[in-house]
Amino acid sequence: MGLIIIMIRYLVLMVALIEAATAVTHQVGGSSEGWTVPSTPSFYTTWAASQTFSVGDILEFKWTSTHNVLEVTETEYDVCLGMNGMPTSTSPVSVTLNNTTARYFICTVGSHCASGQKLAVTSVAATTTPRTSGTSPSGFSASMPTAALLPALLSTIAMISFLLPV
């Protein structure tokens, strides 16, 4: 009986790890552009529209020259004016999307925001389906940990089924 409890605990742990592995880190602007003054004012709007943001995902803002990132209200986003808070000037900045409300980010340096360096995202409820952001610098998808854990999960289920009385 004790072995069955241990196996059930192991199974619960494996399921929890699989759920955690479904979160995706989105490098804002993709690995080629990053967080910078874009070539077109609609760049970040177009980039965000190509992504699926889920609760638990992470936005990663990376830049190399003089930029910052500040989370603002929708009104501040629309007029490119950050009136509350201090912008973060040290790259990279990671922001966890912890609910389904819209989030707004701008660069407060000079006219960067007015030139299109601003981002609006809305997250959807978390899913257990493995997803990828398409921007992984290593070329591996975010579902790799899930794929590696699946055989362990299946073998655990098989072992439990053999231990249960018939």
Side-chain angles (χ1 to χ4, degrees):
M1 185 67 165
L3 186 57
I4 291 174
I5 292 173
I6 291 171
M7 297 306 284
I8 290 172
R9 288 180 182 166
Y10 179 72
L11 178 62
V12 169
L13 175 64
M14 295 306 293
V15 169
L17 289 173
I18 287 173
E19 282 202 27
T22 62
V24 172
T25 298
H26 301 269
Q27 184 174 332
V28 174
S31 58
S32 61
E33 190 83 12
W35 184 240
T36 188
V37 177
S39 54
T40 62
S42 62
F43 175 80
Y44 290 104
T45 303
T46 302
W47 176 81
S50 73
Q51 307 291 307
T52 300
F53 302 103
S54 294
V55 171
D57 284 1
I58 298 167
L59 294 177
E60 185 175 61
F61 295 84
K62 286 185 177 182
W63 62 88
T64 56
S65 57
T66 307
H67 298 290
N68 61 36
V69 65
L70 175 65
E71 185 165 5
V72 295
T73 66
E74 183 177 10
T75 301
E76 292 171 316
Y77 173 86
D78 290 339
V79 297
C80 285
L81 183 61
M83 298 181 291
N84 298 306
M86 286 293 292
T88 303
S89 313
T90 306
S91 176
V93 172
S94 296
V95 177
T96 301
L97 302 173
N98 50 17
N99 56 46
T100 57
T101 60
R103 308 273 297 268
Y104 302 92
F105 304 91
I106 64 172
C107 177
T108 65
V109 175
S111 61
H112 292 191
C113 180
S115 298
Q117 192 175 0
K118 59 185 191 173
L119 175 69
V121 300
T122 301
S123 304
V124 296
T127 177
T128 57
T129 305
R131 301 170 299 111
T132 62
S133 67
T135 60
S136 172
S138 63
F140 293 101
S141 71
S143 62
M144 288 298 286
T146 304
L149 293 175
L150 189 58
L153 178 64
L154 293 176
S155 65
T156 301
I157 292 170
M159 286 190 289
I160 289 173
S161 68
F162 283 114
L163 296 173
L164 295 175
V166 183

